[in-house]
Amino acid sequence: MHACSRGLISCTLMRGRSRLPLWLREICAYVRLLVRSLYFNALTDSDVVFDSVFEPVFWTVDHVTRWFGMVFVCLVVILTSSIVLIAYVVLLPLVLNTYSPVWIAWHLCYGHWNLVMIAFHYYKATKTSPGSPPTVKNDIPFVSVCKRCIIPKPARTHHCGICNRCILKMDHHCPWLNNCVGHFNHRYFFSFCLFMTMGCVYCSVSGRNLFLDAYNRFKHMDMEKPGVPVTGMGLLIGILPPGQTNYQTPPPPYTFKDKMIHKSIIYMWVLTSTVGVALGGLTIWHAVLISRGETSIERHINNKERKRMAKRGKLYKNPFSYGRLNNWRIFFGVEKRSHWVTRVLLPSGHAPYGDGLTWDIYPVKKDMMPV
């Protein structure tokens, strides 16, 4: 009798639960999975607990970043185009009228070269896939299995929650590119940051005097009033006719066109100076990582391994670092001296060194690409 009662009660509960909406049942199952993941086996540590507790936060950030990716790309295009428009409409006529032919040639050559390098590398960084490991069965060596993709992960491969896939030699997900920075577009990303910083510094330095002049004139525009009140002794000595209390000054010498030119110069200098400082710091940071032969993610992994090995009295060395100069050669794909010009200083779409699936590990430093 008691067994039948228990069965009837369980059936009733199951029927009541099945009547819940599908989306509510999925949320309940997801919450139960998060709770069970806190004690699913003996390998549970603080990292697993942290990931489980903050999983909803990570999910929200990933989806918001994914939705706003195109907004950031459009913002980069609009801001860059506005600076180029000011350079052609406002600055170029001033350069042609005031500078010597040598300086005119320098500004024209350097400015257009820098602009071409920025546009080329930004386009390639956004449109080039960073690379993903194959999903079919293969004999490629791997170091772990992705817990989300459930596929083998080769060395230096990490999962991107925003792209929802594994990325070869992943550095980070860049919202300004709406793309991951990985093995096949890492060079394009760094080159874009480098040449954009150079362009911003060029505009900031060359336009400093124009900015100071425009700022001083813009500041004095508000001080020029169409009328100045005359009071006190002015009324007594009869400076103005009877009944008139304001002395009409001549109209300001600045036209609407002059005001727009001054505001454009101020806007250009403030924007390029701000971006130059912020992006310059990011570029220097990535240059340090490239010199060490590691990515942004690998830096944290390597630091953790160094501390772990130091406790055991051992020294940890990055297995993917081949020396500072060789790291730069591998990163840019430089195999001979002419490549420093054709592949670094000029637009080049050559493929990076290796396939991103396997990596040569050298226990000692040696010249991999003799020059």
Side-chain angles (χ1 to χ4, degrees):
M1 185 67 180
H2 292 288
C4 294
S5 299
R6 292 197 200 99
L8 182 61
I9 292 173
S10 62
C11 292
T12 304
L13 291 175
M14 291 180 64
R15 289 177 182 176
R17 185 180 302 172
S18 62
R19 294 173 183 174
L20 295 176
L22 178 61
W23 63 272
L24 186 58
R25 279 182 285 162
E26 291 179 350
I27 293 177
C28 294
Y30 184 67
V31 172
R32 286 198 301 271
L33 179 62
L34 289 179
V35 174
R36 291 178 181 177
S37 65
L38 298 178
Y39 54 87
F40 71 99
N41 59 24
L43 299 178
T44 301
D45 54 8
S46 60
D47 294 335
V48 176
V49 175
F50 181 84
D51 291 342
S52 301
V53 172
F54 285 91
E55 179 65 22
V57 179
F58 298 150
W59 182 89
T60 303
V61 173
D62 291 344
H63 280 69
V64 170
T65 306
R66 187 184 307 165
W67 292 336
F68 280 88
M70 288 304 300
V71 176
F72 287 121
V73 172
C74 293
L75 189 61
V76 172
V77 174
I78 292 173
L79 293 178
T80 306
S81 301
S82 66
I83 299 300
V84 174
L85 181 64
I86 293 174
Y88 274 103
V89 176
V90 178
L91 300 183
L92 185 59
L94 295 177
V95 170
L96 296 178
N97 293 329
T98 58
Y99 285 16
S100 64
V102 176
W103 278 108
I104 291 176
W106 153 254
H107 283 290
L108 290 178
C109 293
Y110 178 82
H112 286 89
W113 168 77
N114 204 339
L115 178 61
V116 169
M117 297 298 286
I118 291 173
F120 172 80
H121 288 103
Y122 185 74
Y123 176 80
K124 296 291 288 185
T126 55
K127 292 299 183 180
T128 302
S129 174
S132 300
T135 57
V136 297
K137 186 177 180 180
N138 56 76
D139 297 329
I140 299 173
F142 61 94
V143 296
S144 63
V145 176
C146 180
K147 63 181 180 180
R148 297 189 179 184
C149 299
I150 317 299
I151 61 173
K153 290 199 304 183
R156 313 186 80 176
T157 299
H158 301 278
H159 185 88
C160 176
I162 300 175
C163 297
N164 198 24
R165 57 174 177 164
C166 288
I167 304 297
L168 299 177
K169 190 194 167 188
M170 179 178 175
D171 187 272
H172 69 288
H173 184 93
C174 181
W176 299 102
L177 301 178
N178 194 28
N179 196 9
C180 258
V181 177
H183 178 65
F184 290 101
N185 66 345
H186 194 180
R187 177 177 67 88
Y188 297 130
F189 165 77
F190 177 78
S191 297
F192 163 72
C193 293
L194 177 63
F195 289 111
M196 178 62 84
T197 301
M198 292 172 57
C200 290
V201 172
Y202 163 73
C203 292
S204 179
V205 173
S206 61
R208 177 178 176 273
N209 293 331
L210 292 174
F211 164 75
L212 293 176
D213 182 64
Y215 178 76
N216 291 329
R217 293 186 180 183
F218 183 77
K219 185 171 61 175
H220 291 138
M221 287 181 187
D222 294 335
M223 299 175 61
E224 296 180 353
K225 306 290 184 179
V228 179
V230 179
T231 58
M233 292 298 297
L235 294 176
L236 295 177
I237 61 178
I239 293 180
L240 298 178
Q244 184 175 343
T245 59
N246 284 337
Y247 171 70
Q248 298 295 327
T249 59
Y254 303 111
T255 62
F256 176 78
K257 179 180 178 181
D258 295 333
K259 293 180 180 180
M260 293 304 299
I261 291 176
H262 297 156
K263 292 180 181 179
S264 299
I265 293 175
I266 294 173
Y267 162 80
M268 181 201 70
W269 192 88
V270 172
L271 179 61
T272 54
S273 300
T274 305
V275 174
V277 172
L279 193 59
L282 178 66
T283 304
I284 294 174
W285 168 246
H286 278 279
V288 173
L289 295 178
I290 295 170
S291 300
R292 297 176 179 175
E294 59 186 9
T295 62
S296 301
I297 297 177
E298 290 173 350
R299 174 185 175 273
H300 300 284
I301 298 175
N302 292 338
N303 287 341
K304 190 175 181 179
E305 285 298 311
R306 289 189 187 95
K307 295 178 181 178
R308 187 177 68 87
M309 298 298 288
K311 292 180 181 179
R312 300 182 179 182
K314 298 181 180 180
L315 181 64
Y316 174 79
K317 291 185 177 180
N318 180 16
F320 306 110
S321 178
Y322 312 106
R324 292 184 179 180
L325 182 58
N326 279 326
N327 288 335
W328 283 103
R329 291 173 179 171
I330 294 171
F331 180 79
F332 283 118
V334 174
E335 299 176 357
K336 51 186 179 180
R337 291 183 178 179
S338 61
H339 287 170
W340 289 107
V341 176
T342 58
R343 293 188 174 185
V344 179
L345 299 181
L346 293 176
S348 176
H350 64 279
Y353 176 79
D355 56 4
L357 298 173
T358 57
W359 300 90
D360 297 329
I361 300 177
Y362 288 80
V364 294
K365 297 179 180 179
K366 66 179 183 178
D367 198 352
M368 296 181 58
M369 297 180 180
V371 176

